[in-house]
Each structure stands twice: as structure tokens, then as C-alpha cells.
Amino acid sequence: MFICLWLISIVGYAQKDRGYFQRLNQQYDPVRQEKEVLFSNPAFMSGYSIYSFSDFDAGYGQHKKKTYLLQEGNQSKGIQVKGSSFKRLKNNSVLWGEVVYQDKQHKGVQWNSSLDLDYIGPYVLADSTKGTNKYESYAFMGGVAKQVSNWRFGAEMSYKAQMAHRDRDPRPKATTSDLKLKAGIAYNLYKDIEIGTFAELTSYKQSTDVKFFNQTGRASLYQMTGLGEYSFYFSNKTQDAHYNYNGIHTGVSIVSHEDIDFGLVGYFTHGKLDKQVSSQYDINRLENKQWSIDAFKGFTIGRHRLLAHVVFSFFKREGTDILYTNIDTNLDKLMERKAYKKSIDYSEFSVMYQWEGQRDFVSFKPFYIYQKEQESMLLLDRNQSFTYGVIGGMGEYRRMLSSKSVLTLSTSVQHRAIIQANNQLNTDLMKPSIGQWLESDYLLKSSNCISSNLSVRYDHQLASKLGLYTLVEYQQEKYSEFPVNQYMGVRLGITF
Amino acid sequence: MKKRVLAIIVAVMSLTMTTISCSSDDTAIENDQQSQVSNLRLEFNTNKITGFKSFEKLTVVLVELNTGKEILADLSEDSTKAIVAAKGSYRVTIDGIAILESGDKVGIASNSEVKLINAEDKLTLSLIAKAFANDFIIEEVFFTGVVSKEGKGYNSGKYFKITNNTDKTLSTGGLLILRSAFNSAIKQNNYTPEIREEAMPVGGVLYIPHEIGKEVEPGDFIVVADMGLDHSAQVSTAFDLSGSDYEYPNMDNPRLGQVDSPGVPNALVIYSEMNFNMFFLHNRGFESYAIARFPEGVTVESWLKDYKYDYSFEFAANGRVVDRTHYKVPNQWILDGVNSSVQAAWEHNPIGTSVDSGYTGVGTEDGDPARFGKSIRRKQLGVMENGKPLYKDTNNSTEDFIQWGTEASLKNGIVH
């Protein structure tokens, strides 16, 4: 289905006859990107753009980190091929789709044989060996939306498959599948004020199996349960972990696209994860809940546009340990108890300014983020918390060099200041290697950090509706008192 | 218009719901934590301690199966005091000293398992007097082998170092070296009959005949090696064991390629569960070792005839019941014993608590690559009158041995 949508859009692209410079401004409209949250409801995709456009690019990137979280590794490099398309049809309908392929290597990964920490954390299958993960992923997404009178309807489906493995002992092989189905509806209340709601169902599975070729010098495998704790019984006895996540993401919104130019969007996400080992023992459960409110208000005066945006979000994750006993019987379930808790409070305030001239386009967004993370093991005197204040800005300048060539400079810089950091882990009581891992991560998480990004993109029009572009990107990340991390990437793509 | 009003109400209600749901439920979690704790009270059956009067020292160690968390409680002052522990499945080990009516003191031990699932739980433990002998002790067991400079494993050159920790000269004649039948990292269910508090199930036994017995001065030691030769000639990182007192090479299995050193007398493998009568030490040390002597009237032949251990157990994984046959050595015959494992893999002790109420091992992780070249080795308390080392021996190897392994003492050859 995704590929069909993709082909339809390629074959039948319908770029309206605009200047090349204006077309790029519309295709990569920063204000619309700032309102991206609105389009989580697929029904609103029918108002995503009045134009159709497509983008296809292939790129290579290399990230070298001297300061890093051990579970993420210290180097990654690889290619990405991506195609995306948005297509307006004649009967107030739109189609959109995206395909992404990635082939990467992550070096220096430690304490993590699994994928998608966001889904399964902290219940990873881990070992102390540093290794190189070879990673591949395929992602497909397609959607359709239609406007009928005062109503909008939309649906979207996406699927992502990932695979990662190592060629040296210990040799984990992790595979994931992530299927999302989403449907939304919106109704025009008055003038251009619309309300909408949507629901997205997620079904996610991950299987990780670890093999050893060398049976004499095997590294220990830990079924981690949070903040350095692990299942004492199942660690070392099991070499696999299977995760099953089901979730719902739903939201309501009220929006005025142009008359008042405002939007208020509320979201709620609820998901449950089960972890099983040896194909028969459920050992952990995880329950995620997230509430978010996004609000934005825009102002347009001539060629000047201003968009104020606030986000408030609260995320809560609770983990349950399932305890077993082997007294008197075979290994049987004894009890369940809540053992792990994590929460994230997130607030973001930003104002975006945008100006579009005949040959120049400028956007600038200062922002401030306040984030508080707390993580604790409930039955142990063990917790960590961090409060950050992030101030920064991002800007973009696009210049029409000639009727067929355009240059875009993008830059961003942000400073993450640590407001409060608390580390109550008692690492002295842990295995030394696990204690060192947590201490290393803590140093990073409790450090101030300045990160910046600079990219230069050159677009050249090859035919009336076909453009070629190349983009070079450089990022750096500097944690106080630690060496600098660097990323370099290059992309070559076409727009049509 | 009605539709519009309805739509607005739905939108406002949805937003309100999401906001209300943000309210904190920390109180519920705190209440939940309270309900996760159990008060365990221990009761002690002292019938097997003749003339028991009171406790001088009573230490309880609880280890939870799922978390590995250890709780140490001192009940010396009040043995009825409740132990507060998170609910779970625990192994309980008792170690202490009892005062007898006669005024004598005796070491006591016990172990058991308990499920703590209620707010108040009880466990009754049968206490056993520790058996101390005025004889040899196991000073060191080197079972890990070494790794060559090229990184290849060398699985020979293993040894027992047995020391006279008394103040009198002892003879090695008749000494037995026992290797446990049970693996300390694999616990099956319902061993029937369970005999560990009376006897040690053995999977292999070495015997030093009286004819080749030698006198050992107080504080001195003997080395019983798999092959009493200079292993460093094979692999430079291996040890020179050419000065061993006894060896036990296996000549029945040609694939082992072992050699019988002419100058070193052989200890006999009088029983082995392994093919070719091999006596082989687990290179991660998931077994226990002991030394013993037959009492008067018991010979190798009569022991082999009368001390079979027929038992059954249930596989922990699937409940299947299987029958097994090994041999057993009564704990009363045992001079000294040591349970060995690694912390990450330990599940149970193959030797009963009266012989060893703890366990030791090399490395804390299963398959620890740093274990090679290291041994389990007893702590030195001080020196004897003759200047030889005096070793700690409380029948609790967790206390008596250097945790978790240390460099083998014969790394630079055998020096008395």
C-alpha cells in the first residue's frame, strides 16, 4: 500500500506552476513544520499544503562521539535513503507517503543488546562487552485524507522493521516490527475553526537472542530491571528477551488555520509492554502514560509571520517485576510488584518569526525548554533526577541566486544548563562494571552542554518541475569538561 | 447548530479528561511499597545440639532469588526478633555459636528456604552442630586453568593444596579428596532423599593409600595435582608443579594426552561419575570439594559397596522426575569442605551447612574471563609457633576464603 501511494505520487506529481524559489519556500515551510503536531490527526492532512510535492534523497552520515552514553555507543555511520511525497488529488482528497531505508553501524555499544530503548527501557538484555551493532531498518508510511463539506476524514498506516546484530561474541540479534494504524476526523464549526480527534493503535514486537561461539569465555548476560538492578535469577541463565507492546495514542484539537490562526491540541498516550524470557517466563511489565498539550497562535502582517508556541507534556512510566520461586516446586510465579518509576515533565516555549521576500527567505526561532526527569527503584533507596533548562535558537536563510538556483543556510545553537542533578545510586553496592556504567552516564547527564548545527544546501532546477539538491551538514556537541562530539553528513536529493 | 454544540462539548471533555489524569498517584505507590514488606520470625529446633543452653552468636543471611539482594541480620541478642524483608523467595543461612549446659561452645549452622508473601511470616530451622576436625584443611583449590600468551586456554595444571593447620604432625595416608556430585549453579527440585545435612553426595573421589602416605609437619602442606610436572614447559603461563606430593593423571582416556610423572606418587581415583574414570575439575568451579578419612573398619571396597546414593529429583524447568545414582560420604568423616560457585550463578550449596555454611569462588560473573590463573584460597589468620601460616577455619567459606578468588599461590612453583 505504501509503495503504491509512493508510486502514485511520483507518476502523477502535480507541482503548480510557481517559481522555483517560492516552491521550495512552500515545500519546507518552517511555520507549517512548527505546527506539525496538528497533523498527527490525519484528517488535517487534507489541509497540509495547497501544493503537491515530493522529495527523494540518499545520504551518508558519521557521528563520532568522545563523550557518550554507553548504551548508545561512541560512533555511528551509515547511509539513509528516503522518499516522501504529498499529493493533492482532484476531489478534495490527498495522499501522502514515506519510505525510509537505513543501513548503519553503531560502534562501542555497551550494556545494550536490544533496540528501541524508548519502548523497552529499562528492561534491556545487557552485557559489559563493547561491540559493533550492524543495523538495518525499513519504514513505510502511507495515508489518505478527504474533505467532504464541513468534515475531514483521514487514515494513516505505518510499518517499521529493524534488525541489528553483532559478529563477535556475545552475538545478539534483535528484530523489531512496529505497526501503527491511525484514523482521524475533523469538523468545521464556524468559519475556519475546526475541531478534530484521532486515535492511533500501535502493535510493537521485539525479539533479541544472544549466541556465543566461544563457550569458555562467555560474558555474563543481564536482564536489567532499572538503575543497575537486574533479575538475579534469569540473568546468565537466559540468552533471549521478547517484548510485546500495545498502545493507543489519541488526541483532540481545535484549530483555526487562517482567520484566527491558532491551535490547541491535547494528547494522551497509553501503552503496555510485556517482557518474556525463555519463551515462557514473563518477568517484567511496563506501563507508559503521557499527557501533552500543544498550543500555538500565529500572526501575519504582510510578509511577516509570527508564531508563538507552547508545549506542556508529562510522561510517566511504571515497571513491574514478576517474582518467581523454586521452593518446593518447579519455577513458579510468586508475585508481582511495582519496582520502577520514571517521569518526565516537559515544557517548551518558542516564538517563530518568518519573512519571505522575492529573493530572500528568513526564519528565526528562539526557544526555551524546561525538563525534569526522575527515575527511581521503588523498593530500594535508589533514584536519579535531572532538571534542565535549555535555551537556544534556530535560523534559516534562503537566497535565490538565480531563477534556477537557490542556496539555504540553516543553523541552530542551544545551551543545556543543568539546574539540578541528584544521584542516589549507591554504586558501591553494585557490580563494579555496572556501577562504572551508571557513573559514566551520570557524569554526562549532569553536565552542561552546548550543541550547534550548521547546514548548507544548494538547490538547482533541472527542469520545470524537477530540482536537484545537495546538503552538507555539521553538528557538534560539547559537554562541559569533556571532549567534543562531531557529526558530519551529506545528502543528495531531488525534489519534484 | 446542535452538532456544533455537541462537538464543542466532546472537545472540552476530552481536554478536561487528559488534564485530570495528570494528578499524582505517588501516595498509592507509597502504600503499595508498605504492603511489599514482610516480618519474618525464626524459630529454632535445637534437638540435634545436645545440651543446648543459649546462643552466643546467631547470624542470619537471607538471599532473595529474583533480586539477589542479601539481608544480614544479627539475632545474637534476641533470636525472636523479626527480620524485615521485601517479599520474595529467600534462601536462609544460619551461622553461629551455641553455649551448652556444660559451658562448652559449639559452632552451629542451618539452611532453608522460605517464601515471604504475607505481612508476617514464620520459619522453623533445625540447627546442626558444626563438625570441626583436628586434621588437614583445604588451603587452596586451583581449578580455573590458565590462558597462554596467545590467548588459548590450558586446562591442565590444576591442583589441591592441603595444609596441616594443627599443632601436630599428620599423615596423608588414607586421605580422601571429594568432588561433589551436585553443581552449585544448577538446582533441581525435590532431591529425594535429601541427605546433605548428613552426607555429601560425591561425583568423584581421590584416595591416598596408606602405603604412600607421608608425614606433614604443622603448618606445612601437600600438593595434589592432576599431573605433577612442569606445566610451564607446555605453556609459559602455566605453573611448575613438578614438586607435587601426589598426582592423579588419567591414562585411560588417550584423548586427554596426560602423562604419569615417574617421580610423583599417584592418588587413586576410587570413584568417578565420569567416563574413563576421570577426575576433572570444573573450570568455573561450580562444584564443592572436601577432604575426609574413612573411619576404622571402612575400606575402599566396603565404602563402594555400602555407600551408594540412589536418589531422584525433578527438573526445575519441566518437572520431569529422574533417578540418579552417586556415592555419598557421611559428613562425620569429612575433615574440611568448601562450596564453590560464582555469585552470579550460585543456586545452592552441594555440601551441608555443618561442613561449610557459606560458599566461595573465583570471579563474580559466570564465565568471567579474568578467572584464569586464580584460585580459591583460604585467608591467613597469623602464624604458628614455627612461623608457618595459620589459616582461618570457621566452616564458613564465605568468611574463611579470599573473595572472590586470588592469584594462585603456586604461580612461581612449589615452595615450602
Side-chain angles (χ1 to χ4, degrees), chain B residues 320-373:
Chain B
R320 191 165 62 88
V321 178
V322 293
D323 296 322
R324 290 278 189 274
T325 296
H326 279 100
Y327 276 84
K328 61 186 176 184
V329 173
N331 290 349
Q332 289 175 333
W333 302 0
I334 292 177
L335 313 176
D336 187 31
V338 54
N339 289 305
S340 173
S341 193
V342 295
Q343 280 179 300
W346 178 81
E347 290 205 357
H348 65 156
N349 282 336
I351 297 180
T353 49
S354 64
V355 177
D356 183 9
S357 54
Y359 75 98
T360 185
V362 179
T364 55
E365 299 181 1
D366 185 8
D368 191 343
R371 72 185 183 280
F372 298 107

Side-chain angles (χ1 to χ4, degrees), chain A residues 189 195 216 218 220 222 229 232-233 236-237 291 316 318 324-326 329-330 335 337 341 378 431, chain B residues 4 7 18 21 25-26 29 33 36 66 68-69 87 89 189 315 319 343-344 347 364-365 367 371:
Chain A
L189 283 173
I195 60 163
T216 58
R218 295 164 45 143
S220 298
Y222 299 93
E229 290 295 306
F232 186 76
Y233 186 80
N236 288 314
K237 290 188 185 65
W291 299 263
K316 186 174 80 168
E318 282 181 359
Y324 285 80
T325 181
N326 59 1
T329 61
N330 296 328
M335 59 185 289
R337 68 176 175 212
K341 187 184 175 191
L378 299 176
K431 282 183 179 297
Chain B
R4 288 180 184 173
T18 57
S21 302
D25 57 358
D26 283 352
I29 287 170
Q33 279 179 259
Q36 299 302 335
N66 298 272
K69 292 288 170 250
K87 289 177 181 174
S89 178
N189 294 325
F315 275 112
Q343 280 179 300
E347 290 205 357
T364 55
E365 299 181 1
R371 72 185 183 280

Side-chain angles (χ1 to χ4, degrees), chain B residues 28-72:
Chain B
I29 287 170
E30 278 164 22
N31 292 337
D32 193 45
Q33 279 179 259
Q34 288 294 322
S35 68
Q36 299 302 335
V37 171
S38 177
N39 291 308
L40 172 66
R41 287 179 197 278
L42 300 179
E43 289 178 354
F44 300 98
N45 180 343
T46 57
N47 290 345
K48 291 181 182 172
I49 315 284
T50 309
F52 173 84
K53 185 182 171 190
S54 61
F55 294 113
E56 181 180 281
K57 184 186 166 200
L58 192 60
T59 307
V60 184
V61 180
L62 300 173
V63 180
E64 210 284 317
L65 173 78
N66 298 272
T67 61
K69 292 288 170 250
E70 190 174 290
I71 297 170
L72 187 68

Side-chain angles (χ1 to χ4, degrees), chain A residues 72-209:
Chain A
E72 293 178 356
N74 58 7
Q75 195 181 123
S76 68
K77 61 182 178 181
I79 60 162
Q80 174 180 287
V81 180
K82 180 181 175 185
S84 60
S85 188
F86 177 80
K87 165 97 181 125
R88 291 210 75 85
L89 304 176
K90 286 179 181 173
N91 53 353
N92 283 333
S93 300
V94 299
L95 291 175
W96 66 95
E98 184 177 274
V99 291
V100 183
Y101 169 74
Q102 292 183 324
D103 186 344
K104 293 183 175 177
Q105 272 193 3
H106 300 288
K107 292 186 176 176
V109 177
Q110 202 176 358
W111 297 112
N112 180 14
S113 298
S114 309
L115 288 167
D116 294 326
L117 292 181
D118 286 347
Y119 266 123
I120 68 165
Y123 298 131
V124 294
L125 178 57
D127 63 83
S128 61
T129 315
K130 270 189 183 177
T132 298
N133 287 0
K134 293 180 178 175
Y135 170 87
E136 248 185 308
S137 78
Y138 306 83
F140 310 93
M141 182 269 285
V144 58
K146 184 175 177 63
Q147 184 171 3
V148 181
S149 179
N150 287 337
W151 292 90
R152 293 180 197 260
F153 305 94
E156 188 182 278
M157 183 175 170
S158 68
Y159 179 76
K160 185 177 182 183
Q162 300 174 99
M163 198 273 281
H165 70 281
R166 287 188 203 172
D167 292 337
R168 283 186 156 189
D169 282 359
R171 299 164 193 253
K173 183 178 179 185
T175 55
T176 73
S177 73
D178 190 357
L179 176 68
K180 294 182 196 295
L181 298 171
K182 188 157 64 173
I185 187 170
Y187 179 73
N188 181 231
L189 283 173
Y190 177 70
K191 290 190 175 178
D192 79 337
I193 297 176
E194 292 181 274
I195 60 163
T197 184
F198 76 94
E200 177 184 69
L201 301 176
T202 299
S203 173
Y204 172 87
K205 292 182 194 311
Q206 180 177 164
S207 286
T208 305
D209 280 283

Side-chain angles (χ1 to χ4, degrees), chain B residues 13 22 34 36 39 54 56 85 88 91 117 136 173 185 230 254 266 285 312 344 383 389 395:
Chain B
M13 278 178 66
C22 290
Q34 288 294 322
Q36 299 302 335
N39 291 308
S54 61
E56 181 180 281
R91 294 191 185 95
I117 48 177
F136 286 106
D230 182 2
N266 286 10
S312 65
V383 291
N395 283 12

